[in-house]
Structures are given as C-alpha cells and as structure tokens.
Amino acid sequence: MSRRTTPPPGEPVADRIVDIDVTTEMQGSFLEYAYSVIYSRALPDARDGLKPVQRRILYTMHEMGLRPDRAHVKSARVVGEVMGKLHPHGDAAIYDALVRMAQPFSLRIPLVDGHGNFGSLDDGPAAYRYTECRLDPAAQPMVTGIDEEVVDFAPNYDGRELEPVVLPAAFPNLLVNGASGIAVGMATNMAPHNLGEVVAAARHLLAHPDAALADLMRFVPGPDLPSGGRIVGLDGVREAYETGRGTFRMRATARVEQLTPRRTGLVVTELPWNVGPEKVIEKIRELHNAKRIAGIAGVTDLTDGEKGLQLVIELKSGFVPEAVLEQLYRLTPLEESFGINNVTLVEGQPQTLGLKALLEVYLAHRLEVVRRRSAFRRARAADRLHLVDGLLIAILDIDEVIAVIRSSEDTADARARLMGVFDLSEVQANHILEMPLRRLTRYSRIELEAERDELHRTIAGLDRVLGDPDALRDLVSAELAEVAAAHATPRRTVLLEGTLPVRAAAAGGAALEVADDPCEVLLSSTGLMARRAVDPADVGGPAAPDGPRGMHDVVVARATATVRGHVGVVTSTGRVHRVHVLDLPALPGSAGPVSLAGGVPLGAFLTLEPGEAVVGLASLLPEAPTLALATTAGTIKRVAREPAPGRDVWEVIRLAEGDAVVGALPVGDEDELVLLASDAQLLRFPAASVRPQGRAAGGMAGIKLGAGAAVVALGVWPPGAPGVVVTLAGDSAALLDAGGSLKVTHAGVFPGKGRATGGVRAHRFLKGEDALRRGWITTWPAVAASASGEPITLPDPDQRRDGSGTAVAAAPAAVAGRT
C-alpha cells in the first residue's frame, strides 16, 4: 500500500510516496475508530450512566443556568452551545440525545424538562427551533457540587475548553434510566429500574458490602419500565442480575370491558416499553387482512392527555375475549422480548456487569465524590478561618492598626508592618488592608466570633467524614435517601413469575383458548393475589380463610372460581369489586402449602376510595355458599345467591351512616357464625338462624353491643373443626400496630347462644388495656404475620375462656390457620 505525503520544498515528487504495510495500517485505523466509538459515543460510563453527549448536554445546561426555577430557553440555543464548545459530531446527534432525556416514556426519571412537541413513540419531535428546554428537578442531583472539584476535567476537542470526565451523579442513573447503544463489536441494552428500589439496594450494599445478590434482589426485584405494563417470567431477570445478560418478556396491560350492551372489547392501558399504539394497530390490521387472527371487529386509539393510553380493540360476538387477547400477546407487539446486555465503561474499559457490580462501581464513585467535596469544603473553611482569625486580631487593637496603616509609605510598607506588629500572615494582612472600615465595628466582632465557632464545628465535622470511612458511608447513604425521598415514584411495572396456560380450541380452530378449569383465588395479608388449580370435586365447597403461609405472608381469604371467570373483592364500604381471574398469576400445584411471593398487588386490579379497605373475597359461582357479612354496629347478613350484576362494582349490603363491614366469609347452613366485639364479648350462634337476603337489604341484628363497643371480627366454624379465637387487647388510643396482650383460646370453651344476644367474655383486660383492638376466629395450628409480612409467634392455646393474654411488642396484622 502507498500513502502520498507532502514533502518539504525542494524534494523530488517521487519522495512523496511512502510504502507501508496495509495490515498494519488497517489495524491501527480500525482500532482508533473502534476506540473512539466505544469510549466517546456509544457506551455509557458506569459511574454516572451517561454517554458523552448526554453528559455534555447536562453540563452545558448547568453552566448556562437553566435550572428548574428559571425560564425555558430554545433548544437550538442549547444545541449550539454544546456543539460549539464540547461535542463536534453535529446538531442532529445532540438534539436526539436531548429529546430522549426529556421524554417520560423513554426514561424512568427524565433529566430534561421539555416545553413543546418532544415527540411520541410513533412520531418524532419538532425541530429544535420550535422547542424549549431546561433542567428537570431530577437532573439537579446529577450536577450538584461539580464546582467543588469533585470530578476531574479534561480538555475538549480543540483544547480551548474543559469538560467533566464524569458527573457527580447523586443517584445511580445507569440503573434507574437504563441505556442503549451500538458500538463496534459490542452493544449495550440496559433496562430502567425504580429509583426508590435502587437506592434502597445501594444503601444496603453500603451497610453490608458482602451482601449476596439475593439480598439485593429483595430491594430490586426487577426492572420498572417507564410505560408500566407487566414483565412475565423473572428467570431472565435473575440471570441478568447475576451475569449481566438475560432476557425477559414485556406484556401490555389489558382488561375486558363491555363496550356496548351487545359488544365486548379489550382496553389496553399500558404497552411494552418503546412500543407505540400505531405499531400495534398496524400489526393487528396486517394479521386481520392475512386472516391469521379472528374475532376482531375494529381497533380505536382513544389516547389523550387526561386518560393516558386507551387502545380499544372491539371484538366480534361469539369470541372469548381472553382467547383473543392471548392471540394478540402471541402475534403482536402487545408482548415483546427485552434482551439485557449490561455493557458499560469501567475506567475506560467496556465490561459486562451484574446488579451488584453496577452498584459497587457507582458507590465507589459516589464515595470518591463526597470525599473530594469534603476535602474541598474543609480547605475553603480552613482558609476562611485563617482570615477570620486575622480580622479578630485586628479588631482587638483597631486604633493601632489604623495608626500603622496611616504612618506607612505605601501598601507594601503597610503590609510588612502589619505582619511584623501583629504577627499576621501575608494573606491576613492583605485582607485587612482591603477590608472596608464599616466592618470594624463591635457588631462585626460578634459576627466574626460566631463565624469562627461555626467554622470550627464545620471543620471538625468534615475531618470526621475524611478520617472515618464509616462516617463517609453514612453521609453517602443519607444523601441517597434524600434524593430518593425527593424524586422516587411508585413502581409502575408488575412482575409476574409465570405465564397464562393456553390450549387449542376444541371447535372452530380460529383461536387459542384459555382452559376454563376450576381454581381458587387467594389473598394474602400484604395484599397479594394469585390463583391455583383445585380438584373439580372441591368446587362449591366451603372456602374458609384458614390458609397457609408463604414468605412470612398469611393467606387471609380465598374463593372458588374458574380460570376464565371472575371473583369478587369485598370492601368495608359494602361494595364488591369484580376481578378477572385470568389476570391473576397461577401458582403451582393444586393442594398443600403455597407461597404468594409470585402474587400481584391488589392495587393492580382495583382502585379503592379513601378509607375503604378489603375485608374478604366472594365466589361468584352459582353453586358457591352464601356470603356472610358483619358490620361494626353488630349487624349480620347472609347474601342470597343471585347472579352477579353486569357492572364491575356493586353493593351487597345497605349500611347505616358511620357503619362499616368488618368481615366477609362464605357460610353454609350447617356452620356456626362467631362475632367478636371490642369489649371482649364473643357471640356464637347457628348460621341457619340468619336467613339469606337480597343485595339491597341491610341485614339483621347479630350481637347486642355494650356502650361504645364495636364488632372487630367475624368468624365461621364448620362442624367439628378445631377452632381457636385469637384476641389482641390494648389501649384503644394507641397506634394500631402497637403491642398489647395476645391470647389464643380453644373454641370449645365458648358456649353457643342465640342471635342478637350479648355473648360471653373472651379476654380479661390487664392494667392499661380497655379494648380488643383486633381479633381472629380460625383453625389450629395457626400462623401470624405483621403488617410488613414478618412472622409473629403465637402463644400456646389457653383453656381459660376469660383469662388475660401474653404481652407482645408487635401486634399481628393477620392470623390464619395453617393447612
């Protein structure tokens, strides 16, 4: 290979050609190009989670003073500043990066506050001459302290400016917002996470450097995507957290709705990350025209700024909505795969990191930032203290200071004489010479003495941080907690361990159909719901809430249903909320102990009013037992078997003003009902004495209450069951989770009585106790858990009907029998 060069004047033209080895030239050129792309353009730094162009944009906006409390400026101005000073790769690359940092559907925590059309998943943004921007409040922690020598600076592309090598980054931006990029021979694709969860894991790792990955995943169970939706199958997430590579599936959130009296539809409210509604609509139309999907009558996009995403898929009559939805998941972008590839720059070298390694790199960076900031602030404080000491010396003998200055020939002479007479340093003498005379007052002396004392305290505190690694870690942990408290938002993405079973339709062959098998729906004490298969012979039988424990959680309610059917969630306001069983994750097995660790929070399926609480589940099967309800005012009601209404929420009891439902359980004629009041009175009577009533009825008298008493628990005792009564007594004015005395009593010691009578005493109060704060009627052996799901040990059963309880420091939030 020959390369032409420009020879010095006078040399022959033949000398302009130099022979070089083509292999060496290609290797060198390619490596230079690859290094430039990897380090300077495509891959984020593991410390601040930013690519160079993103870092330059945020730094430039900070230098321009575009804080959240300032007015927006034209994006063109920011693009010009960045391109002219720091990033020579063109305005298109800069504006694209700026736009992405302003899109709430691209980043979990946007860093730029955009004003104008910054695009959507289906449309691009307006040109930068039409849009405006400033820093988002969440971007402030990324650049705070950058003027305090906390990071290194390097020359820009032409050597005329300096730019930060990395930003201070007060939160783990790389994990929170993720990243994507294609370099030479490698690529990165990182999923976003919840800020509060990531900060909690980082703080735990600070306190426990040897923490295992399983410990960190208690805080970060999986990605939290900006678009919400669901993640199906967490094995790939666990693999990515361990190795840096893994795959998971993102699934849209959809529900079945009755669009018109004769037409059913699917309403999609959340899509997989980076999937727009137009992409879904186009794919559905393509499949419909190719006759690869059936049952769809039309698709309408009703998305707006108030309701958010609303993609309505209208279905033809005669098609099972769940079966059509399953086809859409399989054939359209309503379900997409995401491949995690955590390739990031660590000390300038690309590495593939797992969850713990990513947190360790970030924490090492943050510890160094805070250490350098503390050293900078200490030096500043020490310099100021030196000046204050000099001013105090001058103020003590101000007349002599003035005389020395007035008698001096010039400034240099005055400086030298001050240094000699008062034993001052040159810095102190210069400061005194430049100080206005108005500062030389008694009030200024008081201010200086207060400032001196404050500076001593500041220096002592900074010395402690610089000299004690534990104090440094505590400070970093506290600052992380402050950022999370200010900017963290609730989790948007629901994590599901498994998927939905499907099978080919027996007839028609037009769609896949979810098997409508019998199942039972379970509700845990921490609000998780799931379903598991049951033996068909058990359908319609009693479904008492004496469930098992899983992950220190207690199953407090269960109801029989079918996979394609519905179940009712009963609340304290006497309402029933319909929940589609198919939306619930399926648990393995059909009998024995279960764990609801893979359940879904109840809030993913229904929205409760302020003060409204869930009190039980109701089976909507025609052959299910009647539902028994009890209220705080002592009312008891059995709801007659009636077809469920066509709406999603309905009332099952007429409540008086101030009354509320405390329990909802399935009951048969052969069972016994138990009511427990706050004055420790227990009434046990046959369920057959309560006749079933329609939904509009208000029930009948259940227990005769004493003055100021209220019902706190409802129980059902099947014939021959080894029942127990668990009571918690305490101060009625104390917090609900405060301790008290806990007592477990065998059911057999309580005599049966008639309905609407006063009952018998079930718990003798100790000094300082005036009420039963909680109570449970269940089977034995039983398990208990706190409000956070931690296990609580129950005392042994007491044969005394009206004995006192055993003192406990923490109150159980749920108690249920172990099956």
Side-chain angles (χ1 to χ4, degrees):
M1 178 179 179
S2 299
R3 173 186 290 172
R4 292 184 177 272
T5 63
T6 302
E11 290 190 9
V13 176
D15 293 339
R16 297 183 184 182
I17 300 176
V18 179
D19 291 331
I20 61 174
D21 181 62
V22 66
T23 303
T24 304
E25 176 68 16
M26 292 297 294
Q27 287 179 346
S29 299
F30 183 79
L31 287 176
E32 289 179 7
Y33 167 74
Y35 179 79
S36 174
V37 173
I38 292 172
Y39 183 74
S40 300
R41 299 177 68 176
L43 298 184
D45 193 295
R47 295 170 291 179
D48 61 6
L50 299 173
K51 300 177 185 179
V53 64
Q54 297 170 325
R55 186 179 303 115
R56 289 162 179 166
I57 291 171
L58 295 181
Y59 175 69
T60 300
M61 295 178 72
H62 171 71
E63 290 295 295
M64 294 173 65
L66 303 181
R67 297 189 297 272
D69 57 348
R70 301 291 181 87
H72 294 82
V73 302
K74 285 289 185 181
S75 300
R77 181 179 170 188
V78 176
V79 171
E81 285 286 317
V82 175
M83 183 169 62
K85 293 182 177 181
L86 304 177
H87 197 75
H89 299 294
D91 56 345
I94 299 172
Y95 187 55
D96 286 345
L98 187 150
V99 165
R100 187 178 185 276
M101 289 193 292
Q103 293 173 334
F105 53 83
S106 294
L107 298 189
R108 187 62 179 82
I109 302 291
L111 301 177
V112 173
D113 179 12
H115 181 68
N117 179 15
F118 275 78
S120 67
L121 288 167
D122 297 310
D123 296 312
Y128 53 59
R129 62 183 178 273
Y130 298 120
T131 61
E132 298 177 340
C133 64
R134 64 184 178 188
L135 287 176
D136 191 87
Q140 286 293 98
M142 293 292 295
V143 295
T144 299
I146 198 170
D147 301 324
E148 297 180 291
E149 300 179 0
V150 296
V151 295
D152 295 331
F153 280 71
N156 69 335
Y157 64 91
D158 62 3
R160 299 181 181 181
E161 303 282 345
L162 291 176
E163 62 175 316
V165 176
V166 66
L167 295 187
F171 66 88
N173 176 64
L174 185 58
L175 277 168
V176 172
N177 280 324
S180 63
I182 300 175
V184 178
M186 62 186 66
T188 185
N189 199 31
M190 304 181 66
H193 291 78
N194 185 273
L195 173 60
E197 296 175 355
V198 173
V199 166
R203 297 183 66 198
H204 181 78
L205 190 59
L206 269 177
H208 306 88
D210 297 329
L213 178 62
D215 297 330
L216 299 179
M217 288 189 65
R218 288 173 46 229
F219 302 96
V220 186
D224 188 21
L225 308 177
S227 59
R230 302 179 180 185
I231 292 178
V232 182
L234 301 183
D235 291 340
V237 174
R238 295 189 188 95
E239 182 182 359
Y241 286 168
E242 182 175 358
T243 66
R245 288 189 173 91
T247 304
F248 62 85
R249 286 182 295 148
M250 304 176 292
R251 174 171 286 189
T253 299
R255 63 176 184 268
V256 179
E257 281 193 7
Q258 197 70 33
L259 303 180
T260 67
R262 301 182 62 182
R263 186 74 78 182
T264 304
L266 303 171
V267 179
V268 180
T269 56
E270 293 175 345
L271 288 172
W273 190 33
N274 290 331
V275 174
E278 289 191 8
K279 182 179 179 181
V280 176
I281 294 174
E282 181 181 354
K283 186 63 177 180
I284 291 176
R285 288 174 178 168
E286 176 186 332
L287 293 170
H288 179 75
N289 293 335
K291 296 183 179 180
R292 294 184 57 196
I293 192 170
I296 295 179
V299 184
T300 307
D301 185 6
L302 301 180
T303 302
D304 58 32
E306 295 182 3
K307 296 180 181 179
L309 178 66
Q310 292 281 328
L311 186 61
V312 180
I313 303 173
E314 189 175 357
L315 304 180
K316 297 178 180 179
S317 301
F319 284 84
V320 179
E322 293 81 6
V324 177
L325 179 60
E326 194 65 31
Q327 289 189 92
L328 293 174
Y329 282 145
R330 182 169 54 88
L331 300 174
T332 71
L334 289 181
E335 182 173 293
E336 291 277 286
S337 294
F338 186 94
I340 298 177
N341 190 24
N342 294 339
V343 179
T344 181
L345 293 176
V346 180
E347 298 182 356
Q349 301 295 323
Q351 296 184 18
T352 303
L353 305 180
L355 175 63
K356 183 177 181 180
L358 287 169
L359 289 173
E360 288 174 338
V361 172
Y362 168 76
L363 290 175
H365 166 64
R366 192 60 193 168
L367 288 169
E368 178 65 12
V369 166
V370 175
R371 187 197 63 77
R372 292 178 60 167
R373 185 190 67 193
S374 300
F376 176 85
R377 291 179 179 178
R378 192 205 180 284
R380 291 282 295 270
D383 292 343
R384 178 59 185 171
L385 179 61
H386 185 61
L387 295 178
V388 170
D389 288 338
L391 292 175
L392 286 171
I393 293 173
I395 288 176
L396 289 176
D397 202 353
I398 187 63
D399 294 335
E400 187 175 354
V401 169
I402 295 175
V404 168
I405 295 175
R406 292 185 61 184
S407 61
S408 300
E409 294 292 336
D410 51 24
T411 301
D413 184 35
R415 181 189 307 112
R417 295 180 62 191
L418 285 175
M419 294 170 60
V421 174
F422 297 101
D423 193 22
L424 301 175
S425 68
E426 183 176 353
V427 174
Q428 291 173 323
N430 285 332
H431 190 67
I432 291 172
L433 290 172
E434 297 170 359
M435 180 178 61
L437 290 176
R438 60 184 173 83
R439 294 289 308 275
L440 302 178
T441 64
R442 183 172 180 81
Y443 181 70
S444 295
R445 176 184 173 183
I446 296 174
E447 283 185 337
L448 288 173
E449 289 176 343
E451 184 181 0
R452 178 194 60 192
D453 296 338
E454 179 63 28
L455 286 171
H456 277 298
R457 288 192 293 270
T458 299
I459 291 174
L462 292 171
D463 284 339
R464 185 170 60 256
V465 171
L466 292 171
D468 185 358
D470 291 337
L472 178 61
R473 285 193 294 269
D474 290 343
L475 179 57
V476 171
S477 179
E479 291 181 354
L480 282 170
E482 291 177 3
V483 173
H487 303 291
T489 56
R491 167 171 280 276
R492 299 176 185 173
T493 302
V494 176
L495 305 177
L496 301 177
E497 282 282 0
T499 185
L500 301 177
V502 295
R503 67 181 183 185
L512 294 175
E513 186 175 328
V514 178
D516 195 21
D517 294 328
C519 67
E520 65 174 349
V521 176
L522 307 176
L523 173 65
S524 77
S525 59
T526 54
L528 299 179
M529 289 188 71
R531 61 181 168 90
R532 72 168 180 174
V534 297
D535 190 325
D538 294 334
V539 177
D546 51 353
R549 180 180 65 174
M551 298 296 291
H552 304 318
D553 209 354
V554 175
V555 176
V556 294
R558 58 180 63 199
T560 55
T562 61
V563 173
R564 290 211 311 265
H566 306 86
V567 70
V569 178
V570 187
T571 69
S572 56
T573 59
R575 301 195 301 170
V576 174
H577 296 253
R578 185 195 304 270
V579 172
H580 296 273
V581 178
L582 192 63
D583 292 338
L584 302 175
L587 301 178
S590 61
V594 294
S595 169
L596 263 71
V600 177
L602 191 62
F605 304 104
L606 69 157
T607 302
L608 301 179
E609 299 294 334
E612 187 178 15
V614 174
V615 297
L617 297 178
S619 174
L620 303 183
L621 295 175
E623 65 274 17
T626 58
L627 182 69
L629 304 173
T631 74
T632 57
T635 299
I636 189 74
K637 178 181 179 181
R638 288 177 65 187
V639 183
R641 293 189 183 95
E642 298 178 3
R647 52 189 182 274
D648 287 337
V649 182
W650 64 90
E651 293 184 354
V652 288
I653 185 172
R654 186 180 70 253
L655 293 174
E657 184 70 24
D659 201 2
V661 177
V662 296
L665 296 171
V667 63
D669 289 339
E670 68 282 1
D671 298 331
E672 288 186 299
L673 293 171
V674 183
L675 295 177
L676 188 60
S678 59
D679 58 358
Q681 294 297 307
L682 181 146
L683 178 61
R684 171 182 178 183
F685 57 93
S689 63
V690 182
R691 69 179 185 277
Q693 297 176 308
R695 288 191 293 267
M700 58 186 67
I703 183 173
K704 185 177 180 181
L705 294 173
V711 173
V712 296
L714 165 69
V716 173
W717 275 334
V724 292
V725 177
V726 182
T727 50
L728 176 72
D731 184 358
S732 58
L735 295 175
L736 194 59
D737 292 333
S741 65
L742 194 61
K743 176 172 174 278
V744 179
T745 312
H746 281 299
V749 303
F750 297 102
K753 300 183 68 175
R755 181 182 60 81
T757 58
V760 295
R761 186 165 61 182
H763 195 124
R764 184 182 297 275
F765 296 145
L766 299 173
K767 184 178 179 180
E769 299 176 347
D770 61 358
L772 283 186
R773 294 169 47 223
R774 286 176 176 170
W776 300 269
I777 299 94
T778 183
T779 58
W780 189 260
V783 291
S786 66
S788 61
E790 294 297 322
I792 293 179
T793 302
L794 294 173
D796 293 332
D798 193 339
Q799 296 293 343
R800 298 173 301 164
R801 175 175 59 81
D802 60 347
S804 301
T806 303
V808 292
V815 177
R818 188 199 304 270
T819 58

